Amino acid sequence: MFKKILIVAFVFALFSSINAGPLQAAEGAAHPASQEWTTDGLFGFFDRKQLKRGWQVYSEICASCHSVRLVYYRHLEEIGFSPDEVKKIAAEAEVAAGPNEDGETHNDGELIVRPGKPFDKIVSPYPNDLAARAANAGALPPDLSLMTKARKNGANYLHALLTGYKEAPADFKLTEDMNYNPYFPGSQIAMGEPLSDDGVEYADGTKATVDQMSKDITAFLVWAAEPELEERKRMGVKVMLFLIIFTAMLYAVKRQVWAKLH
Amino acid sequence: MSTPTWKNPIVQWVDHRLPIVTFLDHAIVKYPTPRNLNYWWNFGSLAGLILVIMIGTGIILAMSYTPHTSMAFDSVERIMRDVNYGWLIRYLHMNGGSMFFIAVYIHIFRGMYYGSYKEPRELLWIIGIFIFFAMMSTAFLGYVLPWGQMSFWGATVITNLFSIIPFFGESIVQWLWGGFSIDNPTLNKFYSLHYLMPFVIFALVFVHLWALHTHKSSNPLGIEVKGDEDEIPFHPYYTAKDAYGVGLFLIFFLGFTFFAPNFFGEPDNYIEANPLVTPTHIVPEWYFLPFYAILRAVPDNFVDVWGILPVIISAKAAGVIAMFASILLLLVLPWLDTSKVRSAKFRPTYFWLFWLFVIDTIILGFMGAKPAEGTFLLIGRLATAYYFLHLVIFIPLVGKFEKTKPLPESISAAVTAGGSDAKEGS
Ligand code: HEM
């Protein structure tokens, strides 16, 4: 009995040690509050309406500084846009497409620019990192396509960051061009507060509060980072059900076989 | 051993020319096994299953992966997004790595608890440690492939360890890198070796099983099999028991794969490698943490205190030596352990030492994840000291002074007499 208790304690300890991870990069940063996300839990799913709103926030606000370079226009069909709508969205962007079908570039060697197509990557705001830094006082707005996976507690952190801008406390020395945000490591961030009430006018009539927009853009970025999430969890539930039944049967077989021994 | 005759004429034809059916019959059907093996004996076959899963998923990943610094990260993301069920294959491979180490760590501790490494199974144990070593290098090499921040900086830390080798260190590191820094040639080399190593492991597993089948499995009582009544054929008893174990294991493994696929991972590895930006904390995968803690535990002035070969051994070198020693010592464990009695069941003092050792390695794991400073470093040092104390001092001494409990007459006697041992077999 005693040994069994020890063993259970051991397994628990093992798991907590796995979970321990490194001290967060955000040492000393405020702990983000947990929000409810439709993608959480065993039955997590995408709320397509919310993702469309999130796309609106991205394209009208964040897209002026941040890329989502791993996402293609065609992917937007997965969040509920029709093929025609996707064509229209893509066509609004200009794609530097290289030589045209006849192999021509402009005379000065500049690439030919054409309207975007569904098979194009979502066009980035800057041609490269240097250009991005030059336009943002030396700071680099990171690509957002994997952001929720690339930060610990990704979705909650993002929401806390976007809604967490505050007046700096009197004793805090804020560097020039920086903004106070207790959720960012070091508490000052080069990005100015991107969201303000009614910063967008939602196509579906939802009231665009900062909190609402922040949740929508975060949900959109969760999708951008893990577009397979919904399919993965659905498949997982089926696989688990199968395995539980199958394992119970294997246990019965094992009991049956071993019963002969005693 | 006479070659049995098989009813099926095709089987008989093949077996007469290549006795593969007879071999399998001996190895996994009639193979005589102690009747009292408990569930801790399931982890060997589980590790074998995981190896096969890793090779299977790895070969599929390799079809879409590009080993070039400018494309590796994106090619993994392409697998995740555009390859049919690529996310599943990749998450199986990623979590499979962790599962492999969980299974093998339990397997190793099982061996320590029940004294499975003792005469005549020393070589079996040593080959096992070789497998463990090969697994660690395979996992390290594989972790570099997705070319994230931790891939890059982990590789930087680990390859630099080789620079402490006297005289040849620099050239060895440059050879590993294929240049003067970690770059495309390094990635290419690591990819090639990551593809190779699992097959080396496969061969080692084969030798491991060969040694196993020579003296057969040990058992929870740690006493020798005395006769037929102590044994049962592998099939159907242990095939049924192993199959049930596989079911439980798959629930655990696929639970992570489908519902928390990045649980064991580092968020930083979803940021593409950038030689110009060092992450705040460089941490290896969880399964290396105890060894990482030992690496960083050795104090800078260790060498001054001891004054041994100060020219060759720097503080960093001492850390690396301690880390390698912590694994290499396991190779000689069969000779460090002086007890005639195998199983901790009958060794009241060793029982406690064993669990203290387990706790010690877990503490080391915790400390490996923390920055090496202040209290963390102190605890890490104490735990490191205890690790070596256990292996080099306690294990040899306890075997000499311990008063062991009386061993049962035979396996079958213990099992039929009832009590807890009988249950463990069922
Ligand atoms: C002993 C068995 C093996 C172990 C322990 C192992 C371990 C690993 C690990 C830890 C990773 C990094 C996963 C990640 O974070 O993304 C990885 C990646 C990879 N492995 Fe393996 N591996 C094994 C066998 C193989 C085999 C046989 C192949 C076949 C060529 C293979 C091909 C790959 C490829 C292409 C990647 C990069 C893709 C990715 O990162 O997901 N592996 N491996």
Side-chain angles (χ1 to χ4, degrees):
Chain A
M1 189 55 213
F2 179 62
K3 283 181 199 168
K4 299 246 158 81
I5 295 173
L6 262 186
I7 288 160
V8 171
F10 165 58
V11 172
F12 269 110
L14 189 74
F15 275 105
S16 28
S17 81
I18 289 165
N19 210 358
L23 278 193
Q24 220 173 328
E27 263 170 282
H31 186 75
S34 288
Q35 309 293 327
E36 273 182 28
W37 306 102
T38 64
T39 40
D40 284 346
L42 296 187
F43 302 100
F45 65 95
F46 292 127
D47 175 351
R48 301 268 174 324
K49 284 208 185 96
Q50 182 178 37
L51 297 190
K52 274 172 117 173
R53 290 198 299 272
W55 161 254
Q56 201 182 336
V57 176
Y58 170 75
S59 57
E60 289 180 20
I61 301 178
C62 323
S64 56
C65 302
H66 293 279
S67 57
V68 279
R69 63 184 188 87
L70 297 171
V71 187
Y72 288 70
Y73 290 107
R74 64 185 158 85
H75 289 145
L76 293 176
E77 281 182 37
E78 292 168 26
I79 65 171
F81 286 104
S82 72
D84 280 337
E85 285 172 321
V86 170
K87 266 189 205 140
K88 238 193 256 146
I89 291 172
E92 281 165 20
E94 288 188 333
V95 176
N100 67 12
E101 288 103 2
D102 302 323
E104 298 163 346
T105 56
H106 288 297
N107 284 343
D108 54 6
E110 290 264 336
L111 299 178
I112 287 180
V113 173
R114 61 160 172 79
K117 303 257 192 208
F119 56 69
D120 285 317
K121 282 185 171 190
I122 290 177
V123 175
S124 302
Y126 305 107
N128 53 53
D129 284 0
L130 280 178
R133 281 187 193 278
N136 286 281
L140 179 69
D143 182 75
L144 294 182
S145 21
L146 283 167
M147 188 51 75
T148 58
K149 280 168 108 177
R151 297 287 181 277
K152 206 174 168 191
N153 195 5
N156 292 325
Y157 165 70
L158 231 74
H159 179 69
L161 183 79
L162 292 174
T163 54
Y165 284 85
K166 279 199 189 89
E167 211 43 63
D171 56 347
F172 189 88
K173 266 215 217 109
L174 202 61
T175 318
E176 217 191 310
D177 287 335
M178 297 293 264
N179 308 275
Y180 184 75
N181 191 321
Y183 295 98
F184 192 71
S187 297
Q188 46 180 342
I189 182 167
M191 167 168 73
E193 183 168 13
L195 299 174
S196 57
D197 285 336
D198 297 316
V200 300
E201 198 175 317
Y202 276 133
D204 67 1
T206 306
K207 188 154 171 36
T209 60
V210 167
D211 185 69
Q212 182 68 42
M213 286 187 287
S214 162
K215 281 186 175 144
D216 293 346
I217 178 66
T218 304
F220 173 77
L221 292 177
V222 168
W223 169 78
E226 303 180 85
E228 89 298 342
L229 182 143
E230 197 174 68
E231 187 192 7
R232 165 159 60 75
K233 293 197 170 178
R234 279 193 194 152
M235 191 194 278
V237 168
K238 287 181 207 150
V239 169
M240 283 299 125
L241 278 177
F242 167 78
L243 275 179
I244 289 169
I245 296 169
F246 188 62
T247 306
M249 280 162 56
L250 288 173
Y251 181 62
V253 169
K254 190 255 158 193
R255 287 290 295 253
Q256 186 83 27
V257 167
W258 281 73
K260 287 180 222 155
L261 258 191
H262 298 298
Chain B
M1 253 183 287
S2 62
T3 316
T5 41
W6 301 94
K7 286 201 203 88
N8 185 320
I10 298 174
V11 172
Q12 176 63 31
W13 187 92
V14 172
D15 203 60
H16 185 61
R17 286 151 185 85
L18 175 75
I20 183 168
V21 188
T22 303
F23 169 76
L24 290 178
D25 190 53
H26 283 305
I28 55 175
V29 179
K30 296 220 187 77
Y31 179 65
T33 316
R35 55 183 294 165
N36 60 335
L37 301 188
N38 59 29
Y39 280 105
W40 297 115
W41 262 259
N42 278 51
F43 289 91
S45 65
L46 284 181
L49 173 74
I50 303 167
L51 176 60
V52 173
I53 294 175
M54 292 309 283
I55 292 180
T57 51
I59 288 176
I60 300 174
L61 284 176
M63 293 171 187
S64 308
Y65 170 78
T66 311
H68 189 285
T69 50
S70 66
M71 285 179 278
F73 187 87
D74 285 7
S75 78
V76 172
E77 279 306 318
R78 209 183 78 82
I79 294 173
M80 294 295 290
R81 290 155 193 266
D82 286 338
V83 174
N84 287 328
Y85 295 106
W87 56 267
L88 179 57
I89 300 293
R90 198 253 176 153
Y91 278 158
L92 283 172
H93 198 77
M94 227 170 96
N95 287 277
S98 284
M99 295 301 135
F100 208 178
F101 280 90
I102 291 177
V104 164
Y105 278 136
I106 294 177
H107 192 63
I108 293 176
F109 279 127
R110 189 282 318 262
M112 291 181 170
Y113 184 86
Y114 292 108
S116 305
Y117 47 78
K118 289 185 199 181
E119 208 268 337
R121 298 186 183 80
E122 300 96 325
L123 266 183
L124 176 59
W125 169 263
I126 288 174
I127 295 160
I129 299 297
F130 284 163
I131 293 176
F132 177 49
F133 217 79
M135 275 173 63
M136 294 209 287
S137 29
T138 310
F140 162 68
L141 294 164
Y143 194 59
V144 178
L145 302 185
W147 208 243
Q149 272 291 64
M150 277 306 160
S151 302
F152 183 89
W153 291 98
T156 307
V157 172
I158 302 297
T159 48
N160 264 314
L161 298 183
F162 290 89
S163 66
I164 64 124
I165 297 172
F167 310 116
F168 307 106
E170 282 297 302
S171 359
I172 290 176
V173 173
Q174 278 171 20
W175 173 77
L176 280 173
W177 288 347
F180 298 102
S181 64
I182 294 195
D183 209 329
N184 200 46
T186 330
L187 180 59
N188 278 216
K189 186 171 290 179
F190 282 16
Y191 183 42
S192 170
L193 293 175
H194 182 67
Y195 210 136
L196 169 71
M197 284 304 290
F199 298 94
V200 173
I201 297 179
F202 202 88
L204 285 170
V205 168
F206 191 81
V207 185
H208 192 65
L209 289 179
W210 187 7
L212 172 72
H213 284 213
T214 307
H215 287 283
K216 311 282 189 300
S217 297
S218 180
N219 65 80
L221 295 173
I223 55 176
E224 289 299 328
V225 165
K226 301 242 166 68
D228 288 348
E229 69 283 3
D230 288 348
E231 291 178 324
I232 47 179
F234 193 81
H235 181 71
Y237 294 103
Y238 286 107
T239 41
K241 196 168 179 171
D242 278 347
Y244 171 50
V246 167
L248 289 180
F249 164 72
L250 286 180
I251 292 175
F252 182 74
F253 173 23
L254 298 182
F256 280 110
T257 307
F258 282 111
F259 298 108
N262 294 302
F263 177 82
F264 295 104
E266 252 332 295
D268 270 27
N269 230 27
Y270 282 109
I271 304 169
E272 191 168 3
N274 184 348
L276 301 178
V277 179
T278 320
T280 346
H281 294 296
I282 302 177
V283 273
E285 290 277 83
W286 70 266
Y287 35 81
F288 294 129
L289 289 177
F291 302 104
Y292 195 52
I294 293 176
L295 171 74
R296 300 183 307 171
V298 180
D300 285 346
N301 54 5
F302 176 82
V303 187
D304 303 341
V305 176
W306 289 69
I308 24 165
L309 302 178
V311 190
I312 304 182
I313 302 180
S314 66
K316 184 173 154 206
V320 178
I321 291 169
M323 182 178 72
F324 278 100
S326 68
I327 304 169
L328 293 179
L329 264 181
L330 297 177
L331 288 173
V332 290
L333 185 58
W335 294 275
L336 288 172
D337 188 343
T338 49
S339 175
K340 293 272 179 308
V341 175
R342 290 202 187 99
S343 174
K345 257 185 197 336
F346 306 106
R347 303 186 56 193
T349 318
Y350 176 71
F351 173 86
W352 283 108
L353 283 180
F354 170 82
W355 284 109
L356 282 177
F357 185 64
V358 171
I359 293 166
D360 186 59
T361 49
I362 293 174
I363 292 175
L364 279 172
F366 267 106
M367 295 311 130
K370 304 287 183 201
E373 57 201 28
T375 333
F376 299 138
L377 185 59
L378 181 68
I379 299 175
R381 284 176 178 168
L382 291 175
T384 300
Y386 187 81
Y387 184 99
F388 288 102
L389 215 61
H390 172 87
L391 288 175
V392 186
I393 311 283
F394 292 165
I395 288 286
L397 283 186
V398 72
K400 292 226 162 68
F401 296 109
E402 184 176 41
K403 202 167 148 353
T404 56
K405 294 183 193 162
L407 296 175
E409 194 74 6
S410 72
I411 294 173
S412 56
V415 173
T416 40
S420 65
D421 296 335
K423 283 208 203 79
E424 259 175 299
S426 58

